[in-house]
Amino acid sequence: MKRILFGLLLLLWSSITGCSPSATSATPDTVRIRWARDPENLDPLIANNPSSYEVSTLLHCSLLNISDTGRNIVPWLAAASPQVERLGDSLMLVSYSLRPEATWDNGKPVVAQDVAFTLKMMNCPGLPTEMDQAMFHFIQDIRLDTTDSRRFTLVCTGQSSDYVRNSGDFSILPEYALDPKGSLRSVSIRELRSGAATAYASVTSFVQRYQAAQLAQHPDNLPGCGPYQLKNWQPGRFLTFTRKLKWWGDALAKAPPILRAVPKSITYQIIPDAGTAMLALRRGDIDLYPLMPAAEFARLRRSDADRARLSFYTVDSYECVVANFNTRQPTLQDRFTRQALSALFDVPGLIRATQQGAAYRSASIVSPRVHPYYNDSLPLPTYDTQQAITLLRKAGWREVNGQGWVRKQAGKLLELRLSLSYRAGDPALEAAALQFRAAATAIRIPVDLRPTEASLLVQQLREGTTEVSLRSIGGNPAAYDFTPLFHSNSTSLYNYSGFGTPASDHLIEAIVQTPDTAQKTRLLRRFQRLLYTERPIYVLYFLQYRIAAARRLGRVPVTSIKPSYRANAIDFSPVTK
C-alpha cells in the first residue's frame, strides 16, 4: 500500500486511453467510479501510480493505515498501535501483534512469518525494489516471537516517530503463495541488501518464480488478505472487483472504518476526458466522479436536475501542483535562474481561472494547514516579470539585441531556451503552461510546450530529460521523509529535480531521525527555507478535492488524502436533499 509515506510521491497523471461503454449497470450494493487512467500494473511490489495503489488497498492490507483526516495513523492488519522501545541514541524496536482474526483466502492465519517474507522480498536483488529499499531503509531486521506466531519486532536505525508510522506502511503478502518452501527464511535482510544473496541458488530461484507469476497483469496469481478480489480487467476500459463471500473482517464485532467492506462490487471506469466523464455521470453510467475539475463541478451544482440526483462534496487536500526545475540541465543549474522563472507564474490568476478560486497558496511543499511545521515566515512569491529580468541578470544572463538571453558557461555560449513538459489532457496544467509561455515570451525567453502521455512523462522525468515540468505531488500531514523527493541518492527514483547538496541531504536525514517534535519543527522550517531559496520546485497551489456522487450511494466518506474517498466504506444509507 505505502499510502502513508508514498503520499508524498503520488503523481496524478492520467492515461490517454479512450472512453469505454459502461462495464456494469446500476444495481444495489454496486459502485461505479470514474478513473482518468488505467493502473497498468497491479503488482503490489511495484505499484507506481494512484490507481494501482488504490487497487492495492482493496486486495491487500498493511499493518497501519492513515485516518480519513490524514492526521492520525490507525491499526489495519495490526491488532493495535505498535509498542516502541528506544535503545541508546540510534536504535529503536517497534513491536507489533497481528489481528487474531486475520486469515488468507485458504483459511490459514496471517502470521509474523508473512511479514518477514514480505520485508525480504522488498529487498530481494533481481526484483524492482529500489523504491521499497529507499522508503524502508531504516528497517534493519525482524525478530519473530518464539511463543506467539502473530508477534514480531522490527529493528530500526533511527528513533523518529515518522519511522514508527512508516514501519507499517507496506502490503503484507502471503509466503505460502509465493515461497511455499520458505527459501528466503535462511537469508537475512542485511544479506539481501548487501548483494551477497545473489550467490544463493534459493534467491535466484525465488526471483525467477516471482517473475514468472507476472503479477503486474495477473494479480489473481497472488491472493491477498483484503476484502475484495479482481473479477474482470479490460485494460483501458474498466476493472471490476467483487467482495469475498468469506472475509476475516466480518468476524470483528465492531469493525473500525478501515475494515469496513460494504459494496458487493466496485467497478472503475477508465474515462480520460473530463467532459465525457461528466456526461457519463449525468447519464447514470457511473456513480462517483472524484477529483472533478472546478468548472464541471460548478456547472453541475448550478443545475436543479443534477442537484436532485447527485450529492456534492469538497475537502481541502494535501496535494499541491508544482513547477519542477531539472537542476541537471545547464540552463537551470543556478538558483537565481530558477527563482526568475518562478516569477513568471501568475498563481492568483491560475487559481481563479482553473480552480474557480477554490485552491490555496503556499510558499512551501508543506501545507499551510499543518501547524507548526509550515514555515509561515516565508513570503509568497509574486508574479513579476521585472523581477524575473533582474534575477536573470543576477544569474549572469544578458540580453542580445532584444532577441533573447545568453551567458558564458563552461567556456561556451549558452542560450536561454526552455521546454515545458506536462501531462497531456489536463486543462489546469495546460492553462499554467500557456500562461508561463506567454509571460516568458514577453521577456524574450522561447518556451516549447510538450504535452506528454502520462507513462512516457514519468519515464522522461526519471531519465532526467525534461527541463521544466508541471506535476502534482500528493502528501499528507503524517509523513515528512523527503528522501525520495529531494535526497541526492534518489535522483534515479523520484527526485525529478535532480537537486541535492550535502546541506540539504543532512537536513532530510535529521528530520526523519529526530524523535523530538520541537527539533523536527525547527529542522522542517529550515528545510523549507532552503527549498525556497534554492527553488528546485515551485509550489503553485494546494488543491481542493471535488467529488460528485449519485445519491443512491448514500453519504460518501471523503478524505483529504488521495484518492479522496473510501470506496470500501460507501454504505448506501439514505441522503436527504
Side-chain angles (χ1 to χ4, degrees):
M1 182 191 70
K2 308 182 189 69
R3 188 176 176 184
I4 302 169
L5 180 58
F6 201 75
L8 285 166
L9 311 176
L10 294 180
L11 310 182
L12 308 181
W13 293 313
S14 300
S15 168
I16 59 170
T17 51
C19 182
S20 67
S22 178
T24 60
S25 57
T27 58
D29 302 328
T30 296
V31 180
R32 300 164 302 165
I33 301 170
R34 182 259 183 166
W35 267 356
R37 66 173 294 184
D38 191 274
E40 301 171 2
N41 164 33
L42 297 185
D43 183 342
L45 188 64
I46 53 176
N48 57 5
N49 62 64
S51 300
S52 58
Y53 275 97
E54 186 172 349
V55 167
S56 185
T57 64
L58 298 178
L59 302 178
H60 306 284
C61 296
S62 57
L63 299 170
L64 305 174
N65 204 324
I66 193 165
S67 66
D68 290 348
T69 64
R71 295 185 178 274
N72 301 304
I73 303 303
V74 295
W76 193 2
L77 199 55
S81 298
Q83 297 178 335
V84 179
E85 179 183 359
R86 292 179 170 87
L87 304 177
D89 59 0
S90 61
L91 289 180
M92 179 170 62
L93 303 181
V94 183
S95 298
Y96 283 94
S97 181
L98 299 173
R99 291 184 185 273
E101 302 88 356
T103 59
W104 301 108
D105 291 348
N106 66 354
K108 291 185 177 181
V110 180
V111 294
Q113 185 59 56
D114 294 306
V115 181
F117 163 74
T118 303
L119 282 170
K120 291 180 180 181
M121 186 178 66
M122 288 161 49
N123 288 278
C124 196
L127 295 180
T129 58
E130 296 85 359
M131 189 63 209
D132 287 318
Q133 293 181 39
M135 293 169 68
F136 303 103
H137 61 90
F138 60 92
I139 301 177
Q140 297 298 305
D141 195 8
I142 180 171
R143 299 173 183 173
L144 306 185
D145 192 313
T146 58
T147 63
D148 187 341
S149 64
R150 295 182 182 274
R151 285 189 57 80
F152 60 93
T153 296
L154 301 177
V155 181
C156 305
T157 55
Q159 300 182 337
S160 169
S161 56
D162 284 352
Y163 285 167
V164 177
R165 289 189 288 263
N166 298 341
S167 70
D169 191 26
F170 53 92
S171 295
I172 307 304
L173 305 179
E175 182 188 45
Y176 81 87
L178 294 172
D179 192 19
K181 295 183 178 180
S183 59
L184 295 185
R185 291 191 180 190
S186 61
V187 188
S188 70
I189 294 175
R190 189 181 302 275
E191 288 176 305
L192 290 165
R193 284 181 178 164
S194 69
T198 55
Y200 295 0
S202 58
V203 173
T204 302
S205 177
F206 170 76
V207 170
Q208 292 172 346
R209 290 197 308 274
Y210 189 93
Q211 293 171 338
Q214 297 182 318
L215 299 180
Q217 279 70 48
H218 299 282
D220 48 307
N221 291 334
L222 177 62
C225 59
Y228 291 89
Q229 57 193 358
L230 179 65
K231 179 182 179 182
N232 193 2
W233 179 17
Q234 296 192 22
R237 297 185 62 229
F238 65 86
L239 300 86
T240 296
F241 297 85
T242 55
R243 194 187 189 284
K244 295 174 181 176
L245 295 178
K246 283 189 64 177
W247 180 56
W248 61 268
D250 297 333
L252 297 173
K254 189 176 181 182
I258 188 62
L259 284 170
R260 299 191 66 195
V262 181
K264 293 181 179 178
S265 175
I266 300 174
T267 293
Y268 297 95
Q269 289 279 124
I270 314 302
I271 310 176
D273 180 73
T276 305
M278 186 175 75
L279 290 175
L281 180 67
R282 301 181 85 172
R283 289 195 306 261
D285 292 336
I286 59 174
D287 303 309
L288 192 150
Y289 186 163
L291 309 177
M292 180 177 279
E296 281 78 3
F297 189 76
R299 193 174 302 123
L300 286 179
R301 296 186 78 169
R302 289 194 297 266
S303 165
D304 291 339
D306 290 318
R307 287 201 307 273
R309 295 182 300 103
L310 302 172
S311 298
F312 300 92
Y313 307 88
T314 61
V315 59
D316 287 339
S317 80
Y318 296 99
E319 177 191 338
C320 57
V321 177
V322 306
N324 184 87
F325 301 112
N326 186 354
T327 62
R328 293 161 290 195
Q329 295 289 348
T331 53
L332 298 170
Q333 287 178 352
D334 69 280
R335 68 175 184 267
F336 296 119
T337 299
R338 300 192 293 268
Q339 291 174 10
L341 298 177
S342 300
L344 299 180
F345 285 100
D346 179 8
V347 176
L350 290 173
I351 291 176
R352 290 192 299 271
T354 68
Q355 305 299 317
Q356 303 280 304
Y360 56 102
R361 296 200 62 189
S362 175
S364 162
I365 194 171
V366 176
S367 167
R369 297 173 60 200
V370 183
H371 303 287
Y373 289 163
Y374 176 69
N375 190 338
D376 52 8
S377 70
L378 299 175
L380 292 173
T382 58
Y383 171 51
D384 189 336
T385 55
Q386 188 56 51
Q387 182 190 37
I389 291 172
T390 300
L391 287 166
L392 287 175
R393 290 171 177 161
K394 192 173 184 179
W397 298 98
R398 60 182 178 84
E399 293 182 84
V400 179
N401 300 323
Q403 299 299 311
W405 297 83
V406 297
R407 74 177 175 192
K408 280 283 187 67
Q409 189 166 320
K412 297 181 180 179
L413 195 64
L414 185 66
E415 183 181 1
L416 183 56
R417 302 180 63 91
L418 298 169
S419 64
L420 176 58
S421 303
Y422 58 95
R423 178 178 54 79
D426 188 306
L429 297 185
E430 182 177 26
L434 289 169
Q435 183 274 312
F436 176 83
R437 183 176 67 176
T441 301
I443 61 171
R444 297 165 295 285
I445 301 175
V447 177
D448 177 26
L449 299 188
R450 296 181 180 178
T452 308
E453 186 272 331
S455 298
L456 178 58
L457 182 56
V458 171
Q459 178 183 339
Q460 292 174 348
L461 287 166
R462 285 191 173 180
E463 293 172 349
T465 57
T466 62
E467 293 183 333
V468 184
S469 58
L470 297 172
R471 61 189 181 108
S472 296
I473 300 177
N476 71 67
Y480 292 98
D481 185 354
F482 292 103
T483 302
L485 285 177
F486 297 112
H487 200 284
S488 58
N489 290 337
S490 301
T491 53
S492 62
L493 295 171
Y494 290 94
N495 183 354
Y496 297 149
S497 69
F499 175 76
T501 67
S504 63
D505 288 350
H506 177 75
L507 269 176
I508 290 170
E509 294 161 7
I511 288 168
V512 296
Q513 289 172 5
T514 180
D516 182 75
T517 301
Q519 175 70 354
K520 182 185 291 291
T521 299
R522 290 190 292 270
L523 291 171
L524 275 169
R525 292 171 73 90
R526 281 176 54 194
F527 183 65
Q528 291 170 75
R529 181 166 292 280
L530 184 148
L531 288 182
Y532 185 90
T533 302
E534 294 293 340
R535 208 67 59 89
I537 65 166
Y538 175 46
V539 177
L540 302 185
Y541 50 80
F542 276 80
L543 290 167
Q544 180 186 80
Y545 286 155
R546 293 168 289 270
I547 302 168
R551 286 186 176 271
R552 74 174 191 86
L553 299 184
R555 183 164 297 281
V556 175
V558 299
T559 75
S560 298
I561 308 298
K562 181 75 176 175
S564 74
Y565 58 90
R566 288 198 188 275
N568 62 293
I570 294 174
D571 62 8
F572 307 95
S573 59
V575 175
T576 60
K577 298 182 181 181

